[in-house]
């Protein structure tokens, strides 16, 4: 299953942000084990580099990005994706861009903590816990 990771889910993992990391870190394990095909938006990669560079320095930021890029594919951001995102009725343009990048890259879903922000998604939207349970084959009554 190919799923795009929203920027905050990736930051939850990398920064071990409580309480969100508890649900998000097992997703990284699933990607490492190839049980989940992880996808990052190109804008997520640039955001992570910016934040890591500011807090850890250039060398460490590049090291962390190389690790991420060894695990995840990257959904490009193109003119078509930006144009399609403008035509969506999303409240947040960044969410619309990630959605369209995922859709154009053939993702089956998006994993995010911001389920409301993706309420108009054409793709399946998962909370981190819901995605873990889905990949592990568990049924989730009532979602989330």
């Amino acid at each position: 299953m190919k799923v795009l990771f929203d920027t905050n889910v990736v930051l939850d993992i990398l920064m071990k942000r409580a309480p969100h990391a508890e649900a998000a870190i097992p997703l990284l394990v699933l990607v490492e084990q190839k049980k989940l095909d992880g996808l990052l938006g190109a804008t997520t990669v640039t955001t992570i580099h910016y934040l890591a560079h500011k807090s850890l320095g250039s060398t460490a930021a590049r090291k962390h990005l190389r690790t991420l890029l060894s695990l995840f594919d990257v959904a490009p951001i193109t003119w078509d994706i930006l144009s399609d995102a403008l035509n969506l009725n999303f409240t947040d343009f960044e969410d619309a861009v990630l959605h369209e990048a995922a859709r154009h890259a053939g993702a089956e879903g998006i994993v995010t903590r911001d389920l409301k922000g993706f309420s108009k998604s054409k793709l399946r939207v998962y909370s981190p816990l819901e995605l873990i349970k889905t990949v592990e084959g568990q049924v989730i009554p009532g979602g989330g």
Side-chain angles (χ1 to χ4, degrees):
M1 169 189 294
K2 184 188 279 191
V3 179
L4 182 128
F5 282 56
D6 140 302
T7 305
N8 276 317
V9 171
V10 178
L11 289 172
D12 291 344
I13 293 167
L14 295 176
M15 298 170 69
K16 297 181 175 121
R17 295 195 292 200
H20 310 294
E22 186 178 318
I25 289 173
L27 291 172
L28 183 61
V29 174
L30 292 173
V31 171
E32 289 173 332
Q33 295 172 342
K34 307 267 189 240
K35 293 181 179 177
L36 187 61
D37 189 6
L39 188 63
L40 301 175
T43 55
T44 296
V45 177
T46 59
T47 298
I48 289 168
H49 178 268
Y50 173 78
L51 295 172
H53 179 22
K54 285 191 74 79
S55 64
L56 303 172
S58 181
T59 302
R62 289 177 183 273
K63 179 183 177 208
H64 289 301
L65 277 185
R66 283 190 182 95
T67 300
L68 275 178
L69 293 175
S70 73
L71 297 171
F72 290 86
D73 286 330
V74 177
I77 308 298
T78 64
W79 186 94
D80 288 335
I81 288 167
L82 293 171
S83 179
D84 289 350
L86 282 171
N87 292 323
L88 291 179
N89 198 16
F90 276 41
T91 304
D92 185 290
F93 184 63
E94 182 182 3
D95 290 348
V97 170
L98 287 176
H99 177 276
E100 288 305 291
R103 194 175 65 77
H104 282 257
E108 298 169 55
I110 296 170
V111 60
T112 182
R113 286 191 281 111
D114 182 16
L115 300 177
K116 289 181 183 178
F118 288 90
S119 65
K120 297 179 181 176
S121 176
K122 298 173 186 174
L123 301 172
R124 176 81 191 262
V125 179
Y126 300 90
S127 70
L129 183 58
E130 181 182 10
L131 182 57
I132 291 165
K133 291 181 178 181
T134 299
V135 171
E136 292 175 349
Q138 297 179 12
V139 177
I140 307 165

